[in-house]
């Protein structure tokens, strides 16, 4: 049922099919339609946002098809999601391209078959990605069918409103995107006439898409003498519902309660406390009735273009500040300092009490120290012998000064030797998300796997380069296996540009507290894709946090849309 509610082109929720501007006759359905979808029987006076339904047509039996039936030897029907007024809607599979699709079916002799084909072909020619695309419209074997996109990752506005009203920023994004899309459609001569909460989908990336442009109305025989006004009023009803979780008419519809009878059309900020004043007035300007409006001052919006202009004149509504969840109190015990009782993060295997193997460079360094030590002893012995010989021959006592000079020379020779940087092996890593919203927790292991083509990525943000206030930062905590002196790090980034800000912190565990409580090792800002961070003096720690607080602007890819974002391909520490 969840998939049906998010991806079906038209799950026929028809409660309230009569707008203030429309006059509708009761729909005729057969017995099967009544059992699957009986919502259209409650159309009279419900106050929906569709257009006028054409004169009642004789009942036509829906084609008796079943799951597994194939159309054009390509589209295999899987599940019937709507059966109404002689047509049916299905979830299907395109076996040629191996993807899910939606299909509308109706008999070729259906009185609306010609108009459905015409509407589908006109909608397909629009090619606007803000609408669910029509992929095919065919008449074949006494059947007319329309094939369209299926969006399994999208959620209906109906389902979103069932959870409560939308935040002001979400409602602003919804009405902006829907109004702009419908304005573009009307400029091409296309109307929707059935903009309901079930026709609006929000994808996983936060974009809103509209399904059923022209087709949904043609399937139900809905028409309007004022299509722009009908769609504008529908957008106003959607915004009203998003702000109040109430349908702006007296009858219940789409799982929402209507307004109390006798109060008339009241503004959203009078229905629920805390509603954004500008959005409340915008909804009232769109909800026109016979030329009048309930708005206090501004004139009514009767076309999507007018609604777009009214939205652009409003101050931009920013997203809310992210809620910071205080981390649980940290208890300093010997078990929490290691990996006891903690599942491994990422693809690395779990190793119990792993003993780090000293790198070969340490062995070479030890040999050099021994050689220097032996050389120093030989020099000291020669010096002492020379002094004794000189003392015997000359009879002078210079033991204190000679011994002191030899000791000072030996100490200086050993102390001036430069320290060789030692690579530090990373034993594991976990994403650090103090606000509880991780970016890409599954791919943290790709930042130290030695493969430059793999990476961990952040999400895409609308404002930047500084991620705050929307996000204080993104980062990863690395486990070095035991306490080490960390003096530098080499970081390879995926995106260049103005600009990336990174910092290293010494953490006390794989799940540390706030960044402000940690000791900073090093920080820098870069416009390139490689960066070297060096500490003023080494910091002894087992856990190192790599923290990014600013990211450059990058174009969209297969994972995310364009925006301010960054990705880490390789991380190396030295001490």
């Amino acid at each position: 049922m969840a998939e049906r509610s998010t991806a079906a082109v038209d799950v026929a929720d028809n409660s309230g099919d009569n707008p203030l501007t429309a006059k509708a006759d009761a729909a005729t359905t057969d017995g099967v339609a009544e059992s699957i979808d009986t919502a259209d029987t409650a159309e009279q006076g419900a106050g929906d946002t569709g257009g006028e339904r054409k004169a009642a047509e004789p009942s036509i039996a829906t084609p008796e098809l079943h799951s597994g039936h194939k159309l054009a030897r390509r589209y295999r029907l899987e599940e019937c999601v709507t059966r109404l007024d002689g047509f049916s809607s299905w979830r299907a599979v395109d076996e040629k391209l191996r993807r899910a699709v939606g299909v509308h079916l109706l008999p070729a002799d259906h009185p609306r078959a010609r108009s459905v084909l015409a509407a589908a072909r006109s909608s397909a020619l629009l090619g606007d990605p803000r609408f669910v695309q029509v992929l095919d419209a065919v008449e074949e074997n006494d059947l007319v069918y329309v094939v369209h996109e299926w969006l399994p990752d999208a959620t209906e506005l109906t389902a979103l409103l069932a959870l409560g009203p939308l935040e002001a920023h979400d409602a602003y994004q919804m009405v902006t995107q829907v109004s702009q899309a419908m304005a573009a459609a009307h400029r091409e001569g296309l109307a929707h006439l059935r903009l309901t909460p079930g026709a609006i989908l929000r994808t996983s990336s936060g974009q809103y898409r509209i399904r059923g442009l022209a087709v949904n109305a043609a399937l139900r025989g809905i028409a309007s003498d004022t299509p722009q006004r009908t769609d504008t009023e529908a957008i106003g009803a959607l915004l009203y519902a998003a702000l109040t979780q109430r349908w702006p008419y007296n009858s219940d519809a789409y799982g929402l309660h209507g307004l109390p009878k006798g109060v008339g059309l009241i503004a959203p900020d009078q229905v629920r406390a805390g509603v954004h004043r500008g959005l409340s007035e915008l909804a009232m300007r769109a909800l026109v009735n016979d030329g009048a409006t309930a708005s206090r001052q501004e004139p009514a919006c009767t076309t999507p273009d007018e609604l777009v202009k009214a939205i652009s004149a409003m101050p931009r509504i920013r997203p809310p500040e992210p809620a910071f969840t205080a981390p649980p109190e940290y208890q300093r015990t010997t078990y929490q300092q290691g990996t006891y009782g903690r599942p491994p993060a990422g693809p690395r295997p779990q190793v119990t009490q792993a003993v780090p193997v000293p790198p070969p460079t340490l062995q070479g360094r030890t040999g050099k120290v021994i050689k220097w030590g032996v050389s120093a002893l030989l020099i000291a012995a020669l010096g002492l012998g020379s002094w004794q010989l000189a003392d015997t021959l000359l009879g002078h006592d210079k033991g204190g000064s000679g011994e002191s000079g030899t000791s000072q020379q030996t100490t200086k020779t050993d102390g001036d030797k430069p320290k060789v940087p030692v690579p530090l092996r990373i034993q594991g890593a976990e994403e650090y998300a103090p606000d509880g919203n991780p970016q890409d927790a599954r791919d943290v292991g790709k930042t130290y796997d030695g493969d430059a083509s793999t990476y961990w990525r952040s999400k895409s943000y609308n404002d930047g380069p500084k991620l705050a206030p929307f996000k204080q930062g993104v980062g990863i905590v690395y486990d070095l296996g035991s306490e080490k002196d960390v003096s530098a790090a080499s970081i390879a980034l995926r995106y260049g540009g103005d600009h990336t800000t990174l910092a290293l912190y010494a953490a006390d565990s794989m799940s540390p507290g706030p960044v402000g409580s940690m000791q900073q090792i090093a920080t820098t800002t870069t416009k390139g894709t490689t960066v070297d961070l060096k500490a003023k003096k080494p910091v002894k720690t087992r856990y190192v946090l790599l923290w990014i607080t600013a990211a450059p602007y990058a174009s969209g890819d297969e994972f995310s849309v364009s925006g301010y974002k960054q990705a880490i391909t390789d991380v190396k520490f030295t001490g």
Side-chain angles (χ1 to χ4, degrees), residues 390-447:
D391 182 63
T392 301
L393 294 175
L394 301 176
H396 299 287
D397 184 8
K398 299 181 181 179
S401 61
E403 185 179 353
S404 174
T406 304
S407 174
Q408 292 175 3
Q409 182 181 1
T410 304
T411 304
K412 181 178 180 181
T413 302
D414 186 63
D416 285 350
K417 179 180 164 300
K419 187 176 180 181
V420 179
V422 178
L424 303 179
R425 183 179 177 185
I426 299 175
Q427 301 289 339
E430 290 183 7
E431 184 169 332
Y432 175 66
D435 59 358
N437 296 317
Q439 306 290 298
D440 188 17
R442 296 177 301 178
D443 292 339
V444 292
K446 296 179 180 179
T447 62

Side-chain angles (χ1 to χ4, degrees), residues 60-61 63 86 106-114 139 142-144:
I60 298 177
L106 68 165
D109 58 353
H110 194 290
R112 302 175 195 156
R114 303 274 77 76
E139 179 179 357
D142 299 326
L143 282 177
V144 168

